[in-house]
Amino acid sequence: MEESATKGSWSFFYPKSRKAENNMDRPTTGNGGRLFVNDHQVRRIDAQLDRLQLSAQSLAVASSTFRTASEAQGLTVSREASLDLERIIQLQTIVKALSTGSSSRPLLHARRLRELLEQAQLSHISVSEEEDKAETNYKKELEWLLISKATAQTYGLILYTLLEQIIPLGNDVWYWDEVLGSYTYIGFYTVQTFPLRFWDWSKEIYQDAWRRLESLKSSSEDSRLQFRSLSDRWSQFYGLVRESIRDRSITDVRSRVMSPLTVSRSEAREKQSRLKRLREMSASGLGVLMDEGLNFDTDDEGLIVSKGHTDEVAQEEWKSIVTKSVALMETVIRNVCTLETGVSQFEDAVFISVEEDPEVLQHQTEGATPSRPAVLASKLQQILAVHMPDHVATSEKLAKQNGRPSRLTRYWLPATILFLSSSTLLRIFVNRKAEILTWIRDVGTTTVDFWYNWIVQPVKKIIGTIRHDEDSEIAIMSKESLKGDQASLERMVVDFAVDNPNTTNGRTLSDIEISEIRLKVKEGDLTPVLKAYERDLRKPILGTVRGDLIRALLIQIQKTKVDVEVAIGGIDSLLKSQELVFGFVGLTPSILICLGASRWLGGFFGGSKSKSKDRRQGRMVRVLRNIDRILTASTPSSNGMLSYKDHGLLLCEVHVMRQNAQKVLPGEIHREFLEEINDLVDIRTGVERQLRVVSRIRWAYSKWL
């Protein structure tokens, strides 16, 4: 038979050793939204069943059957041999279809599972003495293997159903926590549920009045009662309604003594209590199935082993486990929604019912009779066709009755206000249509102008600055202005020195001296002019008449102009060196405005990824806190293991945390995180070690929490 699971596939929850745990197949992250708990559990059980060693006699019969079929090619064989061969091939095909061939979708649909069980056509008729039991032994083993794989598939479907039921209940419990934690929310809840309470009250009054009217008609001896007019009968019914209201107001003292808020608080607390009980019962059923269902004894290589020493004892042992597991699944799925009993009573009733199950008792006394697979197949079909749909319907009904109110109940008041004010709003829009259109047009024009003038143009200037375009350069003064003024100042000083030989002791200036004067003027030295200016200040009137004083003053004004232009040139050079910085500074406010607008629009029209990531991280922190509370508040057994209820709650919280971690943690970190998850759900290590794992997760992954 073809193996459908990889070798070395160990239990995801109960590794037999650290070596086996390290060799365990990695969990699949892309599981298509399926729940990882039952996926790994079903794959583990399916791998164990694939490694079952059929008895040597069965294998010999099978090999001889196939050898006979291969040698009979082209020859005529008996009809019985042909039918046996076809039956074996059919059973092998169904067994292969029941195997978990895909790691992403190991579970079959319930409808497909029922079709395969019906297609198997397992017979309730026992093997007669005339038939060769050796030839039918292989078919019997195949039938048991088929039933075992179908049981594993049904087991996974029930785990999936319970997990899908438990996880949403936590959100409803948190909803009632918020409602009970605030008087404002209690007031909102009272207003929201007022129409429903009024409707229920009106329906009870109507039914009570109608019962009274029917009783009056049946007990009245006045035959004329039937011939009264419609108005008289209506008046009589109205009087009965008033009597019902008066009697109910007298009977229902609680509603008169307690305020509406107190009544609503009591109702919310009762619904929350029923949800918690349903959650605990479902978690207990999940824990019972995880710990006790299809719990085969395996060796270090994952092979199913037996406490007995013979092959016959080993065969009977795993078949007995399959039989008990079917009875366990049936009992759990039928009684898990019974809220009248407590968790401990539910667990005791489940185990008592399994021990007293007729099929289990018969298997213990008679062994694995040939008709037993057909009986188990019938029970599996009953579970898939009747018990699971009934359980889903009951759990959904309880969740709907005790969960958060529907959206219609929560939002009927704002919807009614909006509906009643819709005509007024429409009238306002119609009367101010022109203003609204103008406002929209102005908003569009402003947006376009802002984009072009404050985004596009600054970006173009920055690009031009990077490319050293002349049009993009910043300049306070023209490039040739300083050169012209400097040359003019040199000529003025040289001419003044030539026209006033007194500044040079009456000598005529040579070309070399004139060049020296020009160099000194470039350096800012105006000594010839300043000497003449000082001399003329002694006789200002004479200097003014000669014109030398005025000429010296004008030269100094030109010198001041040149000094100012030199200073401005330095500032101009500084601006040019920081031109790119100024461009980005001018663009920064526009970019900030655009980023703020885009973030606001992104949050308004669907939220950003960062907010979603923050929500997942916050959810992971809350789930980790719930796990810590479950482990801390648990009451371990004598060997330090969790109870069934706490185990089920732990699995639900771990599943939610794993789903969030898949979207928050990076790839390599996520793979390491899965190893921590493996250690956390391994309840056989004890509560103390699980608490240490929680502490390690808290400090090792604090960056992403």
Side-chain angles (χ1 to χ4, degrees):
M1 183 176 57
E2 180 182 355
E3 283 192 2
S4 62
T6 58
K7 292 185 177 180
S9 178
W10 282 84
S11 168
F12 185 67
F13 299 102
Y14 315 126
K16 298 298 181 183
S17 64
R18 294 304 301 175
K19 179 180 178 180
E21 183 179 1
N22 293 333
N23 293 333
M24 182 183 60
D25 292 341
R26 291 288 186 180
T28 305
T29 57
N31 56 359
R34 303 290 290 183
L35 298 176
F36 84 102
V37 173
N38 56 309
D39 287 357
H40 287 275
Q41 190 80 341
V42 171
R43 281 198 295 268
R44 177 182 65 87
I45 297 172
D46 187 79
Q48 293 173 353
L49 293 173
D50 283 340
R51 293 168 182 171
L52 280 173
Q53 298 296 326
L54 301 182
S55 63
Q57 183 182 9
S58 300
L59 292 176
V61 172
S63 60
S64 64
T65 302
F66 285 109
R67 185 170 59 253
T68 302
S70 61
E71 293 175 354
Q73 293 180 356
L75 301 178
T76 303
V77 295
S78 64
R79 178 176 178 83
E80 290 77 5
S82 177
L83 292 177
D84 289 342
L85 180 59
E86 291 179 359
R87 178 61 175 169
I88 290 174
I89 294 175
Q90 181 188 19
L91 291 176
Q92 287 179 337
T93 303
I94 297 175
V95 168
K96 185 177 180 180
L98 289 171
S99 300
T100 57
S102 174
S103 61
S104 61
R105 297 184 63 86
L107 293 181
L108 299 176
H109 197 274
R111 183 176 63 255
R112 174 60 177 166
L113 190 54
R114 293 202 309 268
E115 292 176 355
L116 292 175
L117 289 174
E118 293 175 358
Q119 184 181 350
Q121 298 178 355
L122 300 179
S123 175
H124 292 264
I125 302 175
S126 301
V127 180
S128 62
E129 296 180 359
E130 290 77 9
E131 295 180 2
D132 189 356
K133 293 185 178 181
E135 293 180 356
T136 60
N137 198 18
Y138 183 68
K139 289 190 295 183
K140 185 180 68 173
E141 296 295 333
L142 280 179
E143 289 179 354
W144 270 106
L145 185 58
L146 186 150
I147 288 300
S148 301
K149 290 207 174 254
T151 303
Q153 289 286 335
T154 307
Y155 175 73
L157 288 175
I158 293 177
L159 293 180
Y160 174 79
T161 303
L162 291 176
L163 276 170
E164 282 289 299
Q165 170 192 335
I166 297 172
I167 293 174
L169 293 179
N171 297 330
D172 292 339
V173 172
W174 290 341
Y175 171 80
W176 292 120
D177 282 336
E178 293 181 356
V179 171
L180 293 172
S182 172
Y183 283 102
T184 303
Y185 290 160
I186 283 290
F188 288 157
Y189 174 73
T190 304
V191 175
Q192 290 169 353
T193 57
F194 172 75
L196 292 178
R197 287 198 296 270
F198 180 76
W199 171 255
D200 294 338
W201 178 81
S202 301
K203 188 166 59 175
E204 292 176 359
I205 294 296
Y206 173 79
Q207 292 175 353
D208 183 63
W210 186 260
R211 284 194 300 269
R212 294 190 182 195
L213 181 61
E214 293 294 331
S215 177
L216 185 62
K217 286 183 180 180
S218 61
S219 62
S220 178
E221 298 179 357
D222 188 1
S223 60
R224 294 176 300 175
L225 182 64
Q226 301 178 358
F227 300 99
R228 288 183 179 181
S229 62
L230 180 62
S231 60
D232 294 338
R233 285 183 288 179
W234 176 253
S235 299
Q236 185 182 19
F237 180 74
Y238 180 69
L240 294 175
V241 170
R242 295 182 61 184
E243 291 179 3
S244 299
I245 295 175
R246 184 172 60 254
D247 294 343
R248 182 165 292 277
S249 62
I250 295 174
T251 305
D252 195 3
V253 182
R254 177 188 176 189
S255 61
R256 301 182 62 185
V257 175
M258 303 173 63
S259 65
L261 294 179
T262 306
V263 174
S264 299
R265 178 182 290 274
S266 176
E267 179 182 348
R269 189 178 291 109
E270 182 179 359
K271 290 186 176 182
Q272 185 189 40
S273 176
R274 290 180 65 83
L275 283 177
K276 287 182 177 179
R277 190 178 307 170
L278 177 61
R279 186 167 180 261
E280 291 176 355
M281 293 283 289
S282 302
S284 177
L286 178 63
V288 168
L289 290 176
M290 288 294 299
D291 292 348
E292 306 297 337
L294 294 175
N295 191 11
F296 300 108
D297 292 328
T298 58
D299 57 11
D300 292 339
E301 296 181 357
L303 298 176
I304 296 178
V305 297
S306 173
K307 298 178 182 178
H309 299 286
T310 63
D311 293 339
E312 294 180 358
V313 175
Q315 292 291 324
E316 292 296 328
E317 203 167 290
W318 72 265
K319 293 173 184 177
S320 176
I321 292 175
V322 172
T323 303
K324 289 183 179 180
S325 298
V326 173
L328 180 67
M329 290 187 296
E330 183 181 16
T331 305
V332 168
I333 202 68
R334 291 178 60 182
N335 301 318
V336 74
C337 290
T338 306
L339 303 184
E340 288 75 15
T341 60
V343 174
S344 59
Q345 292 84 357
F346 163 74
E347 294 174 356
D348 295 339
V350 166
F351 291 113
I352 293 174
S353 177
V354 171
E355 292 297 331
E356 296 178 354
D357 187 86
E359 301 301 328
V360 176
L361 294 176
Q362 189 175 2
H363 188 96
Q364 292 175 352
T365 57
E366 301 178 5
T369 59
S371 62
R372 189 69 56 214
V375 177
L376 296 180
S378 177
K379 295 187 71 171
L380 289 177
Q381 289 178 330
Q382 185 78 3
I383 292 174
L384 295 171
V386 178
H387 299 322
M388 283 187 62
D390 291 346
H391 165 75
V392 171
T394 304
S395 62
E396 288 180 353
K397 181 180 178 181
L398 290 174
K400 184 177 181 181
Q401 290 176 350
N402 301 286
R404 70 176 67 190
S406 63
R407 292 185 179 181
L408 179 62
T409 303
R410 297 199 304 267
Y411 300 113
W412 71 268
L413 183 59
T416 303
I417 295 175
L418 182 62
F419 176 76
L420 295 177
S421 60
S422 59
S423 59
T424 303
L425 295 176
L426 182 61
R427 191 181 304 111
I428 292 174
F429 288 149
V430 171
N431 294 336
R432 300 194 175 185
K433 179 180 179 180
E435 297 179 3
I436 294 174
L437 292 177
T438 303
W439 180 78
I440 295 174
R441 192 181 301 111
D442 292 342
V443 169
T445 304
T446 303
T447 303
V448 172
D449 292 342
F450 172 79
W451 176 259
Y452 183 78
N453 295 328
W454 293 94
I455 301 294
V456 177
Q457 290 295 337
V459 169
K460 287 183 177 180
K461 291 181 179 179
I462 290 175
I463 295 174
T465 301
I466 296 174
R467 299 175 60 182
H468 293 284
D469 292 344
E470 296 183 356
D471 296 335
S472 64
E473 292 183 358
I474 302 175
I476 301 177
M477 52 178 285
S478 60
K479 296 181 179 180
E480 304 297 331
S481 176
L482 178 60
K483 294 181 180 180
D485 291 339
Q486 183 71 29
S488 176
L489 178 62
E490 293 175 2
R491 290 193 299 271
M492 293 171 65
V493 173
V494 170
D495 293 341
F496 185 84
V498 171
D499 295 340
N500 294 276
N502 295 329
T503 58
T504 56
N505 299 323
R507 293 183 297 101
T508 303
L509 297 175
S510 62
D511 295 337
I512 296 176
E513 292 176 340
I514 293 175
S515 299
E516 292 178 356
I517 292 175
R518 290 181 182 275
L519 291 175
K520 290 182 179 180
V521 171
K522 288 181 180 180
E523 295 175 357
D525 185 5
L526 300 181
T527 301
V529 177
L530 292 177
K531 287 182 178 180
Y533 179 72
E534 293 171 358
R535 186 187 64 245
D536 291 336
L537 282 178
R538 298 188 185 97
K539 299 178 180 179
I541 297 176
L542 180 59
T544 303
V545 173
R546 278 201 318 265
D548 293 338
L549 182 60
I550 297 175
R551 190 176 178 184
L553 288 174
L554 293 176
I555 291 174
Q556 292 185 58
I557 292 174
Q558 181 67 18
K559 174 64 171 57
T560 304
K561 181 181 177 182
V562 170
D563 291 340
V564 171
E565 288 182 352
V566 170
I568 292 176
I571 297 174
D572 201 6
S573 300
L574 180 63
L575 292 177
K576 288 181 179 180
S577 64
Q578 302 296 324
E579 189 173 358
L580 189 61
V581 175
F582 289 132
F584 279 109
V585 169
L587 186 61
T588 299
S590 305
I591 294 177
L592 293 178
I593 293 174
C594 291
L595 289 177
S598 63
R599 289 177 63 87
W600 181 81
L601 291 175
F604 184 78
F605 290 104
S608 60
K609 293 183 179 180
S610 59
K611 290 183 178 180
S612 178
K613 185 176 180 180
D614 293 341
R615 286 195 297 268
R616 293 192 190 98
Q617 291 176 343
R619 196 176 297 117
M620 285 184 63
V621 173
R622 292 196 300 270
V623 171
L624 191 61
R625 172 248 185 194
N626 293 338
I627 293 174
D628 191 274
R629 290 187 69 242
I630 291 172
L631 296 175
T632 305
S634 64
T635 305
S637 59
S638 58
N639 54 1
M641 292 173 56
L642 290 175
S643 62
Y644 296 123
K645 182 195 71 174
D646 295 332
H647 187 196
L649 294 175
L650 176 65
L651 292 177
C652 295
E653 298 295 344
V654 167
H655 169 70
V656 175
M657 184 170 64
R658 182 181 182 274
Q659 280 186 328
N660 293 317
Q662 185 176 349
K663 301 177 181 179
V664 173
L665 300 179
E668 296 182 358
I669 303 299
H670 182 254
R671 287 191 292 271
E672 296 175 358
F673 184 78
L674 293 181
E675 296 179 358
E676 306 292 345
I677 294 295
N678 295 343
D679 295 338
L680 181 59
V681 296
D682 183 9
I683 66 170
R684 296 190 178 185
T685 59
V687 177
E688 294 183 0
R689 181 179 175 185
Q690 289 176 297
L691 286 172
R692 290 198 297 268
V693 173
V694 172
S695 177
R696 184 167 66 243
I697 291 176
R698 186 177 290 112
W699 65 258
Y701 303 93
S702 59
K703 179 181 179 181
W704 297 276
L705 296 178

